[in-house]
């Protein structure tokens, strides 16, 4: 996506839902502003269909602030990704933020791969799960090596490693490997919605683990500025509409609690607290 550096923004009013409008009615009332901010490749009709599907898939989204919901939907639309569908491209996550239920945009690993291919610099990019019964070995250094032979047995065992590889059009390549323990510790420390009941970490752990290792390996790839700005939208919260959502600041504020299935606030579990402490130990002195 190529946006305008000084794209105009539109404040999203909050009064609609406060006066008893449903989120569906609110979206319809916002159609003029939505149409102005949508990319050329997406019609207002398609945007409305995707929005209704997202609200149907997760009714809790209807309770989020309209500003954050519309901001998340527009971010997904401008990136050309359909959220909360089996495609696994992106997710809209409700969570408690300073006493309000907000909606956060989150990339899926397939969405990340799509954006990488669109950048034009990467000709091949993959992420894989390594199971207990697979043959797997890797080595870093001056002559890095990576070997993975999946087991042919029906019972593969549990996931133990995740890795991602890329090849560029200029012949460059790179790979990154993370253990399941590394993934969990990293997610507990850096993923703002990790403990949310609606987080894809709860329902699609392997896919989110692949996204984590993909983001790690892409740090070594020659990336264009537009692509970097696009993936920076991961775990963002916006309350304005713009012709280029990537120009807007992330308005996320560290929440005190996450939202469970009933909509009540729960503190992080002891296991999650332990994972955060472990991540700090593992990554002490390292730049994320």
């Amino acid at each position: 996506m190529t946006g305008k550096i000084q794209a105009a923004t539109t404040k999203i009013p909050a009064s609609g839902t406060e006066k008893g409008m449903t989120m569906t009615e609110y979206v319809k009332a916002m159609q003029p502003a939505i149409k102005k901010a949508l990319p050329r490749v997406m019609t207002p009709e398609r945007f409305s269909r995707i929005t209704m599907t997202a609200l149907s898939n997760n009714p809790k989204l209807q309770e989020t602030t309209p500003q954050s919901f519309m901001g998340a939907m527009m971010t997904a639309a401008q990136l050309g990704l359909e959220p909360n569908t089996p495609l696994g491209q992106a997710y809209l996550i409700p969570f408690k933020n300073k006493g309000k239920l907000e909606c956060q945009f989150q990339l899926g690993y397939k969405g990340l791969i799509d954006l990488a291919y669109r950048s034009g610099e990467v000709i091949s990019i993959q992420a894989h799960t390594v199971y207990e019964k697979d043959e797997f070995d890797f080595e870093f250094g001056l002559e890095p090596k990576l070997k993975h032979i999946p087991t042919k047995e029906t019972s593969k065992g549990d996931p133990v490693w995740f890795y991602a590889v890329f090849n560029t059009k200029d012949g460059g390549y790179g790979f990154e490997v993370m253990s399941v323990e590394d993934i969990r510790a990293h997610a507990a420390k850096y993923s703002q919605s990790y403990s949310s009941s609606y987080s894809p970490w709860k329902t699609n752990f392997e896919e989110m683990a692949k996204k984590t290792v993909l983001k790690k390996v892409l740090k070594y790839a020659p990336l264009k500025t537009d692509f970097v700005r696009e993936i920076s939208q991961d775990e963002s919260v916006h309350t304005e509409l713009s012709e280029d959502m990537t120009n807007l600041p992330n308005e996320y504020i560290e929440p005190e609690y996450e939202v469970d299935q009933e909509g009540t606030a729960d503190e992080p579990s002891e296991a999650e607290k332990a994972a955060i402490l472990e991540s700090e130990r593992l990554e002490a002195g390292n730049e994320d």
Side-chain angles (χ1 to χ4, degrees), residues 131-149:
Y131 297 95
E132 289 178 313
K133 295 184 180 180
D134 292 351
E135 180 181 343
F136 183 66
D137 192 22
F138 65 95
E139 181 179 331
F140 293 112
L142 296 178
E143 296 182 2
K145 299 176 182 178
L146 179 68
K147 181 180 181 181
H148 179 204
I149 302 178

Side-chain angles (χ1 to χ4, degrees), residues 30-278:
M30 287 293 295
Q31 283 299 310
I34 291 172
K35 185 176 181 180
K36 183 178 180 180
L38 279 176
R40 294 180 180 178
V41 295
M42 182 172 292
T43 64
E45 291 74 22
R46 183 163 178 258
F47 179 83
S48 295
R49 176 180 62 79
I50 294 173
T51 301
M52 297 306 107
T53 299
L55 290 170
S56 175
N57 288 343
N58 187 351
K60 184 59 68 175
L61 289 172
Q62 299 184 37
E63 301 177 24
T64 60
T65 63
Q67 301 101 317
S68 64
F69 177 76
M70 290 303 304
M73 279 302 310
M74 190 58 66
T75 299
Q78 290 189 357
L79 293 179
L81 305 175
E82 297 193 11
N84 295 27
T85 71
L87 294 176
Q89 293 182 332
Y91 302 92
L92 305 183
I93 311 296
F95 70 101
K96 207 68 170 291
N97 184 14
K98 298 197 73 174
K100 298 185 295 184
L101 196 59
E102 300 274 30
C103 181
Q104 181 189 74
F105 171 81
Q106 191 168 118
L107 278 171
Y109 97 94
K110 292 181 181 177
L112 183 59
I113 288 177
D114 286 347
L115 294 177
Y117 277 126
R118 290 183 215 166
S119 73
E121 299 298 315
V122 175
I123 61 172
S124 175
I125 183 168
Q126 302 176 41
H128 295 282
T129 305
V130 179
Y131 297 95
E132 289 178 313
K133 295 184 180 180
D134 292 351
E135 180 181 343
F136 183 66
D137 192 22
F138 65 95
E139 181 179 331
F140 293 112
L142 296 178
E143 296 182 2
K145 299 176 182 178
L146 179 68
K147 181 180 181 181
H148 179 204
I149 302 178
T151 181
K152 295 182 181 179
E153 296 183 31
T154 302
S155 178
K156 301 177 181 180
D158 294 328
V160 289
W161 297 93
F162 292 90
Y163 70 93
V165 297
F166 71 84
N167 294 89
T168 68
K169 64 181 183 181
D170 297 325
Y173 72 93
F175 69 85
E176 184 64 63
V177 181
M178 297 180 73
S179 67
V180 170
E181 292 77 14
D182 291 338
I183 293 288
R184 291 190 185 279
H186 187 277
K189 183 176 182 180
Y190 293 107
S191 179
Q192 298 154 342
S193 62
Y194 177 66
S195 61
S196 171
S197 298
Y198 292 98
S199 171
W201 281 107
K202 296 292 188 292
T203 58
N204 298 291
F205 177 81
E206 289 191 32
E207 291 193 4
M208 295 303 291
K210 289 177 181 178
K211 187 188 81 170
T212 299
V213 75
L214 277 167
K215 290 182 75 172
K216 285 260 184 190
V217 77
L218 285 172
K219 291 182 179 181
Y220 305 109
L223 303 175
K224 293 182 178 179
T225 302
D226 281 354
F227 175 73
V228 175
R229 290 167 59 217
E230 288 171 350
I231 63 174
S232 72
Q233 297 307 295
D234 190 25
E235 301 199 356
S236 64
V237 174
H238 297 306
T239 59
E240 295 178 306
L241 298 187
S242 172
E243 295 174 22
D244 187 350
M245 298 296 289
T246 65
N247 284 332
L248 299 179
N250 185 357
E251 299 183 29
Y252 171 82
I253 301 175
E254 187 70 28
E256 298 177 0
Y257 304 101
E258 294 294 351
V259 177
D260 64 15
Q261 294 291 349
E262 284 72 42
T264 58
D266 290 332
E267 290 186 285
S269 67
E270 291 303 317
E272 290 161 350
K273 292 177 181 178
I276 293 174
L277 292 175
E278 177 64 10

